[in-house]
Amino acid sequence: MNARDDSKGGTVRAGYVRPLDIRNGRIDMGHGAGGRAAAQLIEEIFLAAFDNPFLRQGNDGASLAIPQGSRLVMATDAHVISPLFFPGGDIGALSVHGTVNDVAMMGATPLWLSASFILEEGFPLADLKRIVQSMAAAAREAGVAVVTGDTKVVEQGKGDGVFISTTGVGVVPHGIDVSGANARPGDVILLSGTVGDHGVAVLSQRESLEFETTIVSDTAALNGLVADMLAVCPAIRTLRDPTRGGLATTLNEIARQSGVGMLLDEAAIPVKPEVDAACELLGLDPLYVANEGKLIAIVPAEHGEAVLAAMRAHPRGADAARIGIVQQDAHHFVQMNTRFGGRRVVDWLSGEQLPRIC
Amino acid sequence: MVNLGGIRKEVSIELVPEAQVGDYVIVHVGHAIGMIDPDEAERTLALFGEMSAATGVSA
Amino acid sequence: MKYIDEFRDGDVARKIADRLATEARGDRQYSFMEFCGGHTHAISRYGVSELLPTNVRMIHGPGCPVCVLPIGRVDMAIKLALEHDVIVCTYGDTMRVPASDSLSLTKAKARGGDIRMVYSAADALTVARDNPERQVVFFAIGFETTTPPTALAILRAQREGLKNFSVLCCHVLTPSAITHILESPEVRQYGTVPIDGFIGPAHVSIVIGAAPYEHFAEEYRKPVVIAGFEPLDVMQAILMLVRQVNDGRAHVENEFTRAVDRDGNLAAQQKVSEVFELRPSFEWRGLGEVPYSALKIRPAFAEFDAERRFDVGYKPVADNKACECGAILRGVKKPTDCKIFGTVCTPENPVGSCMVSSEGACAAHYAYGRFKDIPVVTA
């Protein structure tokens, strides 16, 4: 074999790999096969976005130093959402916020995340890059590092573009004991802002429901807000983010876990007028619509005002309100005084929330 | 196109051919099925809980 | 929201509640049936019954479209999806109605049936246009409010010459159901179910007008007050019914004059009569066979009639023996009179149809009203 004439250029530089064609490229089965294609995908899309010392070690796992004297908290969340991009966010940001918030709701400071991706054959690389960059930005903003990850590819038709599973690890400082089982009669129930924004933003993009709205998803990391709240009141009993099933379902979970009842004041629950209107149009109840950047806090009555003030001082809690009280109730009912002057039970969500026709 | 509290959605007005831009309609499963008469709405609001029984149109 | 918020004002509610307390006579009971599921939902969601005097009782009627849908009809839709490889489109609430063999449309979907939830009949047409190689059936249910949109869909399918769209028509009629309740022995023999009057439907009346109810008021001496779906509408209608009873009157009155007149929506009625004709008899869940109580597709539109296009005969199926949906739909029993209410039959695992839709008497009571059944211990 004759050596080519190098003087005119056109040589292949040592170690050169042609970059991924982000603009037109699509995921194929090779990207999940563990060969060069997989390595290149990880290098150019994931490492480029998440870059940190743990990933740079290039190992199969991350070696983490645990701060002394603290408890570890671990939480995991799988993310499947349609559409993948929605007003105010995308599946990438959501997969970071969801897990960061689950860790934060334990009273912990989230530190590390793992991420695994199930990609569908044919998924555009440009969309993947956009999602991964959005994840990286969300992680940076929340102050957490994505320290390990994995990618698999499934055949076309066996996935919904991309599914993302994330696991988060955080540490709880000494003296903090936050749990869904800690609510006590007499405690006050605080909510960090308006309910239903995320669910309405996503529904507005669904095929056949499509409507125009300026509502955007509230998807956000809440660890900063939680830190400010715990700083004024380490005695916070319960923190939880009312995601799927909405405020109503989350309060019922806490009531059951703590063995208590609750009494809410409908007029005190903040709902954006546009969310109210969208729910009216679709026959939905905002109390059951999902949120991704709100939290419920249950605190001893004497700390209620201080915690509420701390919430309102934080950008993620500007619309915070005191929405009810915990009471003794052997049946663990969540009840509500309606704005109309009546009273009713606020039950768990049953099945999926479906538009009413009558 | 209907607007409810800032939400805009396309609905069919085939069943209320008399509807004009700016009218209030009642929407059911994606179709406007009837119109709202603003004068009657005011009259009903004024009658709520009044002493006299002179309400509604006796058919 | 204009024409909505004003009708949910708590201060006005208290004013009406005061009038009711003054005018409802202490020496008698008042029982009124709200026919329509929309009213049942409003009463439960806003806690309206809390504001009524103790001697005024509301009986939930059969006006919830999914509650009166018999098992056999849901079986037909499931058969279409699972055995005829048809795309079945339907309204959300219909998905969870229990059918034979522990199935429902939701469960049939999990077994591979191509079943899709739509918001409107027009969306089902879109599915048909987008899938020209597949047969698409719209499983059409509901009262007079959902019928005109179905008629429009069939007319449009005909105009476009769509060969893969048809409708499984289960549309039913409000006036025949009310007649059936009034004719039932429990109501005729006064004392078993004392119905003193009816709250007439809101949206249904927009379409059919106030005139069809005149017959009940005259023939059966029962007052009817047509009311809007907002909670103040319902309270005002109850006040108007109390006044009629006190005066010994039995008229059709209209609280919902902002949207309902005597004749209804003539354009909609015309579309419906163009496409549909009366069925001699139709089975209602809870009420049994009711003569001339439903619609079928006229022969001129036979090609869009799923019952003619596919071999899916109707087979009546008996309800679960312990289920009291029938008596509850007729107002003879309350949800809490049913042995399986809240135990075997819950919104997660509905046995009877009244537990399926949030407008069903049982589901509404389960979700919103249970705290009244058992003493709540408060701190």
Side-chain angles (χ1 to χ4, degrees), chain C residues 21-136:
Chain C
T22 314
E23 295 189 29
R25 289 190 352 227
D27 60 345
R28 64 157 297 158
Q29 292 288 319
Y30 299 82
S31 300
F32 302 121
M33 176 180 273
E34 88 276 4
F35 179 82
C36 203
H39 286 134
T40 305
H41 184 83
I43 289 170
S44 314
R45 176 164 174 186
Y46 298 96
V48 168
S49 37
E50 292 282 289
L51 296 164
L52 301 180
T54 47
N55 57 334
V56 175
R57 186 190 142 204
M58 298 307 295
I59 300 169
H60 305 319
C64 156
V66 305
C67 300
V68 297
L69 193 63
I71 291 176
R73 287 264 148 193
V74 189
D75 287 350
M76 287 166 87
I78 290 175
K79 204 170 164 190
L80 283 172
L82 293 183
E83 293 173 20
H84 295 261
D85 195 33
V86 155
I87 302 178
V88 173
C89 299
T90 193
Y91 294 125
D93 270 8
T94 320
M95 299 287 288
R96 296 172 55 229
V97 182
S100 299
D101 306 322
S102 308
L103 280 178
S104 63
L105 286 167
T106 300
K107 288 178 183 160
K109 183 169 183 258
R111 292 192 183 186
D114 193 342
I115 297 166
R116 305 185 188 184
M117 192 193 98
V118 291
Y119 179 70
S120 146
D123 297 338
L125 268 187
T126 309
V127 173
R129 283 186 210 111
D130 294 348
N131 295 275
E133 74 293 353
R134 301 276 308 273
Q135 283 292 324
V136 175

Side-chain angles (χ1 to χ4, degrees), chain A residues 208-209 277 280-281 327-329 331 333 335 338-345 347 349-350 354-358, chain C residues 1 8 10 13 45-47 50-51 91-92 117 119 231-232 347-348 358-359 366-368 370-371 377-378:
Chain A
S208 90
L209 283 184
E280 192 64 44
L281 204 61
Q327 60 185 13
Q328 202 176 335
D329 176 359
H331 306 288
F333 281 143
Q335 299 184 56
T338 66
R339 194 181 279 128
F340 192 66
R343 186 188 276 205
R344 62 144 154 131
V345 168
D347 200 20
L349 172 67
S350 53
L354 304 169
R356 299 191 308 124
I357 63 162
C358 189
Chain C
M1 290 174 281
R8 293 178 186 172
R45 176 164 174 186
Y46 298 96
E50 292 282 289
L51 296 164
Y91 294 125
M117 192 193 98
Y119 179 70
L232 285 182
E348 282 70 36
S358 59
E359 293 150 26
Y366 188 92
Y368 297 118
R370 257 178 312 155
F371 69 95
V377 199
T378 47

Side-chain angles (χ1 to χ4, degrees), chain A residues 3-349:
Chain A
R4 288 167 65 177
D5 178 3
D6 282 352
S7 61
K8 294 206 171 124
T11 48
V12 179
R13 269 176 281 136
Y16 174 81
V17 180
R18 183 157 51 95
L20 288 170
D21 178 2
I22 299 287
R23 197 188 303 184
N24 302 305
R26 286 175 182 269
I27 290 294
D28 60 49
M29 296 308 289
H31 288 123
R36 275 212 186 89
Q40 187 182 14
L41 185 76
I42 291 168
E43 180 84 26
E44 292 184 28
I45 292 197
F46 297 104
L47 286 182
F50 296 140
D51 185 48
N52 60 55
F54 303 98
L55 288 176
R56 254 176 266 136
Q57 288 164 3
N59 291 322
D60 281 350
S63 171
L64 310 164
I66 303 163
Q68 290 235 315
S70 44
R71 275 182 300 128
L72 282 187
V73 160
M74 182 171 157
T76 190
D77 217 338
H79 299 271
V80 297
I81 188 165
S82 167
L84 296 171
F85 301 92
F86 49 82
D90 56 56
I91 189 172
L94 198 63
S95 70
V96 169
H97 295 150
T99 299
V100 162
N101 291 346
D102 284 352
V103 172
M105 295 309 129
M106 301 292 292
T109 307
L111 297 174
W112 308 298
L113 285 182
S114 76
S116 56
F117 295 79
I118 295 173
L119 303 171
E120 187 182 2
E121 182 187 13
F123 190 64
L125 290 180
D127 285 355
L128 179 62
K129 186 170 181 184
R130 192 173 149 201
I131 288 167
V132 170
Q133 285 182 335
S134 158
M135 270 182 94
R140 260 194 310 277
E141 203 192 324
V144 297
V146 179
V147 296
T148 184
D150 187 42
T151 306
K152 294 284 188 310
V153 178
V154 294
E155 280 169 30
Q156 196 148 63
K158 295 193 171 166
D160 200 359
V162 53
F163 301 140
I164 306 177
S165 220
T166 52
T167 298
V169 173
V171 291
V172 191
H174 188 71
I176 303 285
D177 175 24
V178 177
S179 159
N182 289 352
R184 295 288 170 267
D187 290 350
V188 296
I189 306 167
L190 309 175
L191 174 68
S192 69
T194 55
V195 291
D197 303 17
H198 174 74
V200 166
V202 171
L203 279 179
S204 72
Q205 304 295 304
R206 284 265 165 91
E207 201 187 340
S208 90
L209 283 184
E210 279 169 282
F211 51 88
E212 288 174 24
T213 169
T214 56
I215 291 284
V216 297
S217 168
D218 57 354
T219 184
L222 297 171
N223 50 332
L225 174 63
V226 168
D228 287 3
M229 291 164 68
L230 285 169
V232 296
C233 175
I236 289 176
R237 310 238 205 232
T238 303
L239 292 167
R240 195 157 287 181
D241 50 341
T243 52
R244 270 173 312 166
L247 179 68
T249 301
T250 306
L251 288 175
N252 272 285
E253 281 167 16
I254 299 170
R256 185 172 70 177
Q257 212 183 333
S258 292
V260 295
M262 295 180 186
L263 182 60
L264 310 180
D265 175 10
E266 185 177 24
I269 300 172
V271 183
K272 289 200 174 95
E274 271 203 318
V275 170
D276 235 347
C279 288
E280 192 64 44
L281 204 61
L282 299 173
L284 305 175
D285 183 339
L287 298 187
Y288 293 89
V289 178
N291 310 280
E292 290 293 347
K294 298 291 156 33
L295 64 81
I296 296 162
I298 296 182
V299 300
E302 65 271 25
H303 298 297
E305 283 310 313
V307 177
L308 191 58
M311 290 166 86
R312 286 182 174 157
H314 191 280
R316 302 263 176 255
D319 298 322
R322 177 185 185 279
I323 60 162
I325 54 156
V326 177
Q327 60 185 13
Q328 202 176 335
D329 176 359
H331 306 288
H332 312 157
F333 281 143
V334 176
Q335 299 184 56
M336 181 165 81
N337 288 324
T338 66
R339 194 181 279 128
F340 192 66
R343 186 188 276 205
R344 62 144 154 131
V345 168
V346 176
D347 200 20
W348 297 75
L349 172 67

Side-chain angles (χ1 to χ4, degrees), chain C residues 202-341:
Chain C
H203 289 179
V204 165
S205 305
I206 294 172
V207 177
I208 69 174
Y213 308 103
E214 289 164 11
H215 167 71
F216 312 119
E218 267 168 47
E219 181 79 16
Y220 299 91
R221 301 286 311 146
K222 300 287 183 195
V224 177
V225 177
I226 296 162
F229 274 148
E230 298 306 328
L232 285 182
D233 291 322
V234 177
M235 290 198 66
Q236 178 70 15
I238 295 169
L239 178 60
M240 289 163 75
L241 283 169
V242 165
R243 285 171 176 168
Q244 285 209 43
V245 170
N246 286 350
D247 298 348
R249 289 180 292 130
H251 295 143
V252 175
E253 288 182 321
N254 185 2
E255 183 278 337
F256 199 28
T257 50
R258 64 186 184 279
V260 172
D261 59 19
R262 189 168 180 278
D263 297 327
N265 182 338
L266 297 174
Q269 291 170 19
Q270 191 271 325
K271 298 283 180 204
V272 169
S273 62
E274 190 178 343
V275 175
F276 298 105
E277 62 186 16
L278 278 176
R279 262 182 214 267
S281 183
F282 190 81
E283 189 192 350
W284 292 53
R285 197 163 198 171
L287 303 182
E289 287 286 336
V290 181
Y292 297 106
S293 64
L295 298 174
K296 64 175 180 184
I297 296 168
R298 286 188 185 277
F301 296 89
E303 60 174 314
F304 303 104
D305 188 345
E307 285 179 74
R308 295 183 212 230
R309 182 173 291 195
F310 303 98
D311 177 28
V312 277
Y314 177 69
K315 230 190 295 151
V317 179
D319 280 324
N320 182 305
K321 272 204 204 76
C323 173
E324 296 278 14
C325 276
I328 292 166
L329 286 169
R330 292 195 305 276
V332 179
K333 290 195 172 167
K334 289 187 295 231
T336 45
D337 295 333
C338 177
K339 281 197 197 72
I340 57 173
F341 172 82

Side-chain angles (χ1 to χ4, degrees), chain B residues 33-45:
Chain B
I33 57 166
M35 318 258 298
I36 288 185
D37 180 333
D39 298 337
E40 287 294 341
E42 290 309 318
R43 201 170 311 163
T44 304
L45 283 171

